[in-house]
């Protein structure tokens, strides 16, 4: 395929079951992995005076339609806070379904919406206006990921859908009096494994993050077990296990001699979303009005007011009971993974959006399993707080995207291919 001379944008997209984490040319965005279909759209277009406010908050305001092999349904869709506040049924990843991310429209919807939003916002910031003729064109070098098990079977087809034989994917904004069309061509695409990309995020960690990683490790080993060890030593260990706790899956990503080991790595088709769904079911039985796990998640992550604290504590207690039940249910999976890797793994990293809420119940189970392999078999468990570890995958993906061009050689990309 002939490559364009237009300077491409670089995009790392982590399309999580709970949240999209995107890094496009260094700008990071995080927003819920949801959309709402508009079957009978009648939303009035914004006036010229309102264009700036829409573009400045584009993720939460955009009203889009798509023409792309990644997306079968042609309905217009709303996103972010606007979608949540419609009260309509949400399009979100089904954490119980057998179909994976590569097989549902929502992945393509979120990916293309992110690129289109970034390009419109970037254009408006530079020019102060919508594009002449209502058309923006953009070329992209993209790095994205799939769960490990899904990657084995669907990576090639998913990648080819993005490349689209060199043809453009069309995203149209319907917010304005005249539609704005964004034509997206993906020049280079790499699809790697979730969890694998997080390890690349660790490899490229800056000193501030390395210090944070060491601090987290020392919390669990306060008696000098890690004396003399630095944050760099931990992330540079050649043989590691990364446990990526997402909303729909847990990926067990094994690196051997600094290379991703697909034979030893695996995916558990359950994630923190199962906890939220179980909590949601109990709350609905009690008469609470929540309609989706995303709405519940947003509530649990908010700081309760004085009037809402009793309600928040009640819901939090139910959720913690479900967390403990879930951690117990995956103990057999922990045993399976450890049977394969405990003989050579040097460090275990636990990260992802579900890492912090499950730490209190999961950490002890990991320690117990390690202890079975002997007193001198120290394998540090570095439990990374969800507040920053949820960004590991996207930062790793962005570093890979920066190195996709043929004249850019990099160990991480070589490992990813």
């Amino acid at each position: 395929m002939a490559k364009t001379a237009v300077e491409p944008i670089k995009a790392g997209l982590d399309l999580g079951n709970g949240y999209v984490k995107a890094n496009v040319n260094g700008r990071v965005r995080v927003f819920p992995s949801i959309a709402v279909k508009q079957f009978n759209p009648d939303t009035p277009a914004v006036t010229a005076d309102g264009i700036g406010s829409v573009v400045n908050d584009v993720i939460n305001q955009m009203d889009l339609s798509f023409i792309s092999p990644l997306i079968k349904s042609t309905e217009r869709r709303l996103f972010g806070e606007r979608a949540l506040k419609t009260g309509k049924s949400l399009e979100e990843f089904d954490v119980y379904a057998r179909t994976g991310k590569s097989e549902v429209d929502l992945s393509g919807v979120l990916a293309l919406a992110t690129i289109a939003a970034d390009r419109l916002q970037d254009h408006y910031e530079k020019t102060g206006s919508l594009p002449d003729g209502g058309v923006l064109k953009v070329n992209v070098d993209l790095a994205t990921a799939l769960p490990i098990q899904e990657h084995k079977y669907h990576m090639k087809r998913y990648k080819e859908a993005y490349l689209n034989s060199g043809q453009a994917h069309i995203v149209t904004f319907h917010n304005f009096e005249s539609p704005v069309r964004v034509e997206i061509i993906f020049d280079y695409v790499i699809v790697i494994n979730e969890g694998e990309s997080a390890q690349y995020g660790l490899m490229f960690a800056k000193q501030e993050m390395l210090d944070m990683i060491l601090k987290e490790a020392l919390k669990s080993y306060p008696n000098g077990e890690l004396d003399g060890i630095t944050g760099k030593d931990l992330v540079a260990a050649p043989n590691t296990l990364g446990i990526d706790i997402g909303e729909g899956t847990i990926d067990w990503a094994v690196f051997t001699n600094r290379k991703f080991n697909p034979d030893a790595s695996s995916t558990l088709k359950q994630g923190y979303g199962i906890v939220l769904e179980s909590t949601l079911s109990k709350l609905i039985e009690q008469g609470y009005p929540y309609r989706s796990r995303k709405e519940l998640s947003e509530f649990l992550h908010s700081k309760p007011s004085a009037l809402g604290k009793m309600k928040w504590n009640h819901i939090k207690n139910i959720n913690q009971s479900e967390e403990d039940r879930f951690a117990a249910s995956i103990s057999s999976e922990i045993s399976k993974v450890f049977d394969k890797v405990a003989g050579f793994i040097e460090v275990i990293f636990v990260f992802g959006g579900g890492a912090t809420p499950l730490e209190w119940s999961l950490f002890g189970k990991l320690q117990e399993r390690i202890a079975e392999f002997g007193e001198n078999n120290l394998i540090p468990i570095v439990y990374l707080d969800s507040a920053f570890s949820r960004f590991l995958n996207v930062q790793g993906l962005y570093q890979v995207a920066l190195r996709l061009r043929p004249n850019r050689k990099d160990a991480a990309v070589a490992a990813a291919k």
Side-chain angles (χ1 to χ4, degrees), residues 120-231:
L120 180 63
Q121 193 170 59
D122 184 68
H123 175 86
Y124 191 84
E125 288 173 351
K126 290 175 178 175
T127 67
S129 64
L130 298 177
D132 292 337
V135 178
L136 284 171
K137 297 184 178 183
V138 60
N139 295 77
V140 185
D141 289 353
L142 171 69
T144 189
L146 288 172
I148 292 168
Q149 208 64 27
E150 186 177 358
H151 184 277
K152 293 177 181 178
Y153 301 104
H154 298 290
M155 181 276 290
K156 184 178 179 182
R157 178 188 55 77
Y158 190 52
K159 175 180 176 178
E160 288 174 349
Y162 275 106
L163 289 171
N164 196 23
S165 301
Q167 301 303 304
H169 305 255
I170 308 298
V171 181
T172 302
F173 286 83
H174 298 278
N175 299 79
F176 314 108
E177 291 182 354
S178 296
V180 173
R181 187 172 78 247
V182 183
E183 300 178 0
I184 304 170
I185 293 178
F186 292 94
D187 289 344
Y188 289 91
V189 174
I190 189 168
V191 183
I192 59 180
N193 296 275
E194 292 179 3
E196 173 190 3
S197 50
Q199 187 65 36
Y200 301 143
L202 291 169
M203 288 178 182
F204 291 103
K206 304 294 184 185
Q207 189 59 49
E208 181 181 0
M209 188 171 179
L210 292 175
D211 292 342
M212 194 180 301
I213 288 168
L214 180 60
K215 182 179 178 182
E216 291 297 319
L218 291 175
K219 284 181 183 177
S220 305
Y221 302 93
N223 300 318
E225 296 95 333
L226 299 182
D227 282 355
I229 300 296
T230 67

Side-chain angles (χ1 to χ4, degrees), residues 351-378:
F351 46 82
T356 296
L358 288 178
E359 180 176 5
W360 69 280
S361 55
L362 188 58
F363 185 84
K365 292 176 173 59
L366 292 171
Q367 283 187 314
E368 289 170 8
R369 195 67 181 91
I370 290 172
E372 294 176 11
F373 292 88
E375 293 182 4
N376 297 318
N377 189 42
L378 174 65

